[in-house]
Amino acid sequence: MINILSSDATTDESPFTESGPTDALRVRGASEASRAESPAAASRQASGEDPRSGQPHAANLISPTLRPASTADAPSRLLRELTGAQLIWEALLAEGVEVCFGYPGGAIMPAYDALPAYPIRHVLTRHEQGASHMADGYARASGKVGVAIATSGPGATNLVTGIATAMLDSVPMVCITGQVPSHLLGSDAFQETDITGVTLPITKHNFLVTKAEDIAPTLRQAFAIARSGRPGPVLVDITKDAQLGTASFDPEAEAPPLPERRLELADSGDFARAMALLSEAERPLILAGHGIIQAGAEDALLGLAARMDIPVTNTLLGLGGFPASHPLNLGMLGMHGEASANRAVQRADVILAAGMRFDDRVTGKLETFARRAKIIHLELDPAEIGKNVHADVPLLGCAKRSLTALLERAPEASHAAWRAEIGQSQRESAARDILALPDTGKLHAAHVLHDLWRLTGGRALIVSDVGQHQMWEAQYYKHEKPRSLLTSGGLGTMGFALPAAIGARFARPDEPIWVVVGDGGFQMTACELSTCAQEGLKVNIALINNGYLGMVRQWQEFFYGGRYVATPLKNPDFCKLAEAHGLDAMRVTERSDIARAVAWANGTEGTALIDFRVVEEDAVYPMVPAGAELDDMIRRPAASTEA
């Protein structure tokens, strides 16, 4: 059926965890709507074409153009005359913003000059990329919209990697950038960059604001877009003259409405067809992704799986959406997922995929993925349904609402034979686990992650960087609750973890936070140790130091004849580096010292770094080679065959 979803729809959930206005579709390429002042963008806008494909923009086909609204039509009541710079902070306060992350510069100086009058904490980063990752980490940890601020030109372009990271992982974020005065746009002025054009493919939407009166309504709309439907980053570029200008401010004005979108949401017939497949299945399986956590659908997922006795496997970003200790949990699937989970996917006869998009790291060779299974795809974004894997029954809509609808229709069921088959596969995998191998006295990264999980009781918030350590974390740190693992999934951004953990600290000030990071990725954003010191933050850092760009080295070992080109690292003394920032550090080379080191880090007042010197040439197992079938894995030899 057709549902008209309006922007003033409300739910009893936070805007981030529910679909908000309308289960609205993220429109990639909608960002050109308000950039007519930019000559580089004007020709794209005039043609109505996507510069990447030459085809009409999706926004031009299905929705009204999003444009900055004006306060001119506000009801008659007492208005205040404020500068554009003040209006930025007024709008952020109206959105409930308590903290932002940024780095000042010429084109954004008016905004910074106005900041001291407002009760918003500003965290000075050491690089704008760090600001975007901090805003991202704050959003992931809190479920709120993160805010990053930068100046024009290089300040704005330094945000790009963090914006792309948030886009691929559907994280709500608003980035505010200064821009050269409007009369200089298109003149190649000092530090002028068409940042709205640069970020067109990696934002959910973006705006160029050239008038003071448009600042507050545009920012209010940016927040609504960032958190609605499938969340994502929005960029608002504000010229310097707009910041210096004045306009009336209406503190009671509502955010401008989003355009309505017509989506064919799943109806009772769709849910009945899906439940018929699940009820008749002999080998059902649930694939639970990030959307479960985004929608707050954990209880509905648990209820459905338990009632129908259906095993559950998670994507990387879905970890924590289903309790790791539950007997139905199979762990992570995919390229470095559990072998038993990958085999279950290939053996299943019905798969319910909830809040996940079938990316290549999950499916392996698409043509042979789940070849025995009927697919029920429960997804908020219609662009994802059928994009990679055919859906026999598509269920478009919010994961929480859809899973609840399925749970209401679900009969009690048992799949003892199926679970026994999976159990046998799990026992075979356990025999190959490095934890089952004889202790050689060497310190393996898997030991560090397993012991960290045990020593923290699984209650820490883990912020993982990207690489081998990320996969070991996913395998050996068992996540029982949502938002307990923050990591870059879609973009795979090295350097994400430390700044994201800083942002997470402001979202969850009382929880233990551990950064899990490799020696390569750590050096990409190690400058943010200064931010930890200046802000007096408590973050623990588990540095997995193997002297290589480990995951690249593993590919070179397996697929490039062991030729380690540009992967060995000559590292600094990380303990001295931390101490140079006024932070505490220690080094661990033996497994017997892990417990003492973790206790020491937990007991320090500020940020503490542990340099774990692990085995250099270690590999993450299992591994599905690129282009291989999901169950065609490179496996670690079983313990009985090892010397």
Side-chain angles (χ1 to χ4, degrees), residues 36-315:
E37 296 85 351
S38 169
S43 62
R44 293 195 298 269
Q45 183 176 351
S47 68
E49 290 185 351
D50 187 321
R52 295 161 292 158
S53 65
Q55 299 299 314
H57 279 294
N60 296 333
L61 296 175
I62 68 169
S63 69
T65 301
L66 294 172
R67 294 187 180 279
S70 170
T71 57
D73 298 327
S76 176
R77 50 180 173 250
L78 183 62
L79 305 180
R80 292 185 290 153
E81 192 78 8
L82 299 174
T83 67
Q86 291 172 314
L87 289 168
I88 292 173
W89 303 111
E90 292 283 353
L92 295 186
L93 279 179
E95 292 294 335
V97 173
E98 298 175 340
V99 62
C100 61
F101 310 90
Y103 201 102
I108 197 68
M109 283 181 68
Y112 273 87
D113 188 56
L115 172 59
Y118 293 88
I120 294 176
R121 182 167 180 174
H122 178 272
V123 177
L124 175 63
T125 68
R126 294 306 183 267
H127 192 283
E128 291 89 352
Q129 181 178 341
S132 58
H133 290 324
M134 290 177 200
D136 182 319
Y138 175 86
R140 294 185 199 232
S142 67
K144 301 178 182 178
V145 178
V147 178
I149 302 177
T151 191
S152 64
T157 58
N158 281 344
L159 294 173
V160 165
T161 296
I163 294 173
T165 300
M167 182 68 169
L168 267 70
D169 288 350
S170 302
V171 177
M173 184 165 73
V174 170
C175 294
I176 301 171
T177 53
Q179 183 54 278
V180 301
S182 55
H183 71 277
L184 293 178
L185 288 170
S187 69
D188 293 331
F190 177 68
Q191 292 192 334
E192 181 194 2
T193 300
D194 177 15
I195 193 61
T196 50
V198 169
T199 59
L200 171 65
I202 58 168
T203 51
K204 189 176 177 185
H205 193 77
N206 62 27
F207 299 91
L208 173 63
V209 181
T210 61
K211 298 177 181 179
E213 60 264 29
D214 289 334
I215 290 176
T218 300
L219 283 170
R220 298 296 300 275
Q221 191 174 56
F223 274 80
I225 294 169
R227 65 166 67 101
S228 68
R230 181 177 177 179
V234 178
L235 182 135
V236 181
D237 196 32
I238 307 175
T239 61
K240 193 169 185 179
D241 54 322
Q243 298 172 53
L244 293 170
T246 59
S248 296
F249 175 64
D250 181 1
E252 299 180 34
E254 297 293 331
L258 299 182
E260 294 179 347
R261 290 182 173 87
R262 293 175 177 263
L263 301 178
E264 295 192 22
L265 300 183
D267 58 22
S268 58
D270 297 319
F271 291 120
R273 285 189 291 275
M275 186 49 60
L277 284 179
L278 288 171
S279 299
E280 295 167 5
E282 296 181 358
R283 299 183 304 279
L285 185 66
I286 295 175
L287 275 54
H290 193 203
I292 297 297
I293 297 171
Q294 299 280 62
E298 302 86 8
D299 290 343
L301 173 63
L302 178 60
L304 180 65
R307 181 176 297 178
M308 299 194 72
D309 195 31
I310 303 177
V312 177
T313 180
N314 295 103
T315 65

Side-chain angles (χ1 to χ4, degrees), residues 237 385 528:
D237 196 32
I385 294 180
E528 302 305 342

